Amino acid sequence: MSKLEEFLAGERTDDVALFLTHEYLDSQGKLPNLGEEVENGYVLVVDGDDGRRAFAAGTGMDAMEFAQQATGTKSHVERDLGGGECPNREPDENHQTRFIFAFAEERNESVGGLYERGDVVHAYAHCTCGTDYSDRWVVGEEGETGVQPGEDEPAEAR
């Protein structure tokens, strides 16, 4: 199982995942060799502290400040962390996910809600238009939790 598969299965809760488009990375450099290629870029799964530093170095933003900012706007993030759907998307405009920062939390029944159901993946995305947005889902219940494709509200909120 790859690091990304383990992360998405909730098995790497001390790590973070970073999606970066091809334009963020030099295809001849070593970063692509550390990650897993997805359709529009690479997803790197690294130790949490290292990942937050790498995110800051690559984007110029503090990872947790970015996550806090993106939390207020919900939209779909692909479950392989390879992109998302900007909530401000228009059919005649080009909206591409530039990067994603994600982490997973272990099941915590005392917190309730989604955390009672299982491990939860939190994903925060940034679009080329400048919009930041977030999604979160329960591992194993990806189709029943989180924002589904083409929607702007989490499935569990409906």
Side-chain angles (χ1 to χ4, degrees):
M1 191 181 276
S2 73
K3 283 184 176 182
L4 177 58
E5 290 169 329
E6 290 173 345
F7 178 86
L8 295 172
E11 297 174 12
R12 298 183 75 95
T13 56
D14 291 334
D15 293 346
V16 298
L18 308 171
F19 164 77
L20 302 165
T21 60
H22 290 106
E23 65 192 42
Y24 264 92
L25 300 170
D26 171 8
S27 63
Q28 302 303 315
K30 72 176 190 173
L31 279 178
N33 297 330
L34 299 174
E36 188 168 320
E37 188 167 15
V38 293
E39 184 175 338
N40 297 311
Y42 293 89
V43 178
L44 308 170
V45 177
V46 294
D47 171 74
D49 290 336
D50 292 340
R52 285 184 283 279
R53 282 192 292 276
F55 179 86
T59 65
M61 296 184 216
D62 176 79
M64 298 316 288
E65 286 178 16
F66 167 66
Q68 186 174 32
Q69 178 178 315
T71 295
T73 305
K74 306 288 183 226
S75 197
H76 177 70
V77 172
E78 293 174 14
R79 299 313 191 237
D80 69 354
L81 302 176
E85 295 177 357
C86 178
N88 295 326
R89 63 192 178 277
E90 296 291 332
D92 58 340
E93 293 181 9
N94 184 16
H95 288 265
Q96 301 283 328
T97 304
R98 294 193 70 162
F99 53 82
I100 294 172
F101 172 77
F103 62 90
E105 288 188 69
E106 292 179 349
R107 179 182 196 155
N108 186 343
E109 293 179 18
S110 65
V111 173
L114 289 181
Y115 304 97
E116 187 174 29
R117 296 169 71 166
D119 299 336
V120 176
V121 174
H122 297 257
Y124 306 93
H126 179 77
C127 181
T128 54
C129 76
T131 300
D132 298 327
Y133 57 97
S134 68
D135 196 359
R136 66 182 180 167
W137 58 88
V138 175
V139 172
E141 296 183 18
E142 293 84 357
E144 294 85 42
T145 59
V147 181
Q148 299 303 302
E151 301 291 328
D152 290 324
E153 290 294 322
E156 68 276 5
R158 287 184 239 136

